[in-house]
Amino acid sequence: RKGTQLLIIMASSSTSNDQDPVGATLADIFSYKSLVHAIAGATGGVTAISVFFPLNTARIRIQVASHEEAKGLMQTIIDTIEDDGFQALYQGWKSAVMAIGSSNFVYFYTYNLLKLAYRKNTGNKQLTTGANLLIASLSGVANVLLTSPIWTVNTRLVVQRKKGMKAGADESKSTQYDGILDAFKRIIEKEGVAGLWSGVVPSLWLVSNPSVQFVVYEQVRLLMDGIATKRGRRITPIEFFLMGAIAKAAATIVTYPLQLAQSKLRVDKDRKYKGTVDVMFKIYQKSGLRGLFQGVNAKLWQTVLTAAFQFLTYEEVKYFVFLLLLGPKKVPKASE
């Protein structure tokens, strides 16, 4: 109840400031709207990753395997169950929930904060594609720098196997983590604090992924919002799901080689690679162009379904919270 009361107080103070179209104040920027978007985004991410986590586990294991040992999505899931039991499909779930929850909160809050600041300072209600892309990119950079350690720990826990990986078994046996805190502690002891930011360079390059995804989603969202207004009925959950799927599929295909390099670097405990370019060059040199897209099918299944479900949950949670706070007539539109 206290949380709801706080949001209502923030809502009432923020709506009084909406009369001034230019000149953002702290009350305008750090408003209830940004908080609602952040909570909805975090809820969507946590729900989606939990539903489709076995696909995420299989995707990471395919990516970090050698090209010769990499198998298809279903076979990887079957092998994981046979080797380590059904529970292995959810290995690293806790750290993944922490990672996606914090990542989405930071990203959605920063994105909507910057979007609001842009509108207040320019007087433009509608963002241009260029401004949208810039804001999405800046939000992505903030997200990567703040949450990269959690993702590094998550990747290490997911690929860890009781019987050792078929590809790189010696590496798997050398370090076994007992959980999230133990992984943090042992990575720092063995690799230094910088080890927690393993793969941060491709992660920064991969800011383009959610940026492309968000811009595509926003454009499709505006189109669908117009259609929904004309027909007199809000966008349906199925339409939200499809919109999220389209946006994520486009972003994933464009940036996949960088995602592959990111996964390789996060489990590179012995520093075999010098960096992002070195990873991609060595993969291409050994396996050709196909090697750079190793596991792309698993990634598309996992990421498209997860992103689609995330956006569906995000939109529904956001709508419900705004509905409670403001009433049906004042629920913000897509452009707001």
Side-chain angles (χ1 to χ4, degrees):
R1 289 183 178 180
K2 290 182 179 179
T4 304
Q5 290 172 352
L6 177 60
L7 281 172
I8 292 173
I9 292 171
M10 294 174 69
S12 60
S13 64
S14 179
T15 50
S16 64
N17 290 325
D18 287 343
Q19 304 299 321
D20 180 18
V22 184
T25 65
L26 286 176
D28 292 323
I29 295 174
F30 296 100
S31 71
Y32 77 101
K33 288 185 178 179
S34 296
L35 184 59
V36 170
H37 281 282
I39 293 172
T43 303
V46 168
T47 304
I49 196 71
S50 298
V51 172
F52 297 109
F53 196 76
L55 295 179
N56 183 66
T57 300
R59 181 267 304 178
I60 293 177
R61 292 193 175 194
I62 292 171
Q63 286 182 329
V64 301
S66 66
H67 186 66
E68 294 78 12
E69 294 290 338
K71 298 178 181 178
L73 177 62
M74 289 307 301
Q75 189 58 50
T76 300
I77 291 175
I78 292 170
D79 288 349
T80 299
I81 295 173
E82 288 180 349
D83 290 344
D84 301 313
F86 182 80
Q87 71 276 7
L89 292 175
Y90 289 88
Q91 186 168 290
W93 174 80
K94 290 182 181 179
S95 59
V97 166
M98 287 176 57
I100 196 69
S102 57
S103 288
N104 277 20
F105 188 92
V106 170
Y107 186 85
F108 279 88
Y109 191 95
T110 307
Y111 177 82
N112 286 282
L113 184 152
L114 292 175
K115 191 163 66 170
L116 179 59
Y118 172 86
R119 287 173 178 152
K120 289 288 184 179
N121 285 284
T122 62
N124 298 325
K125 288 188 176 181
Q126 190 67 44
L127 270 70
T128 63
T129 301
N132 203 344
L133 188 59
L134 176 61
I135 289 172
S137 298
L138 290 173
S139 303
V141 170
N143 172 34
V144 166
L145 295 177
L146 289 172
T147 65
S148 189
I150 307 176
W151 284 113
T152 298
V153 167
N154 171 249
T155 304
R156 299 280 181 96
L157 290 173
V158 168
V159 300
Q160 183 172 273
R161 297 185 180 184
K162 295 177 183 177
K163 296 182 180 179
M165 293 172 61
K166 293 181 180 179
D170 292 337
E171 179 184 329
S172 180
K173 291 176 182 177
S174 64
T175 307
Q176 287 287 315
Y177 305 113
D178 294 327
I180 299 170
L181 294 180
D182 182 60
F184 270 110
K185 179 183 176 182
R186 296 176 72 175
I187 289 171
I188 292 173
E189 288 177 349
K190 185 176 180 181
E191 304 167 46
V193 175
L196 293 172
W197 273 266
S198 298
V200 72
V201 174
S203 294
L204 287 171
W205 281 105
L206 278 169
V207 163
S208 59
N209 182 290
S211 298
V212 171
Q213 173 190 351
F214 226 74
V215 170
V216 172
Y217 182 81
E218 286 280 290
Q219 296 304 311
V220 177
R221 176 77 164 83
L222 286 172
L223 177 65
M224 287 303 299
D225 193 57
I227 294 173
T229 301
K230 288 181 180 179
R231 72 188 181 192
R233 190 175 72 254
R234 67 185 291 259
I235 301 172
T236 67
I238 294 297
E239 288 170 338
F240 279 132
F241 187 90
L242 293 175
M243 287 157 54
I246 291 169
K248 192 60 179 181
T252 298
I253 292 171
V254 171
T255 62
Y256 186 77
L258 285 170
Q259 296 180 55
L260 182 64
Q262 178 192 59
S263 293
K264 295 282 190 184
L265 286 171
R266 281 178 173 167
V267 297
D268 184 26
K269 304 172 187 176
D270 300 322
R271 296 291 187 269
K272 294 185 296 183
Y273 301 112
K274 297 177 182 178
T276 307
V277 176
D278 185 51
V279 174
M280 295 173 69
F281 177 75
K282 286 180 177 177
I283 292 174
Y284 180 79
Q285 197 174 39
K286 184 177 180 180
S287 309
L289 189 61
R290 289 184 61 185
L292 291 174
F293 287 87
Q294 176 179 307
V296 69
N297 290 336
K299 177 64 178 177
L300 281 171
W301 275 108
Q302 177 263 323
T303 198
V304 169
L305 288 174
T306 301
F309 196 83
Q310 171 184 303
F311 273 109
L312 184 159
T313 308
Y314 161 70
E315 293 288 357
E316 293 301 311
V317 170
K318 182 184 69 173
Y319 177 81
F320 180 72
V321 174
F322 277 133
L323 188 65
L324 287 178
L325 293 176
L326 305 175
K329 294 183 179 180
K330 293 185 178 180
V331 174
K333 297 180 181 179
S335 59
E336 301 174 339

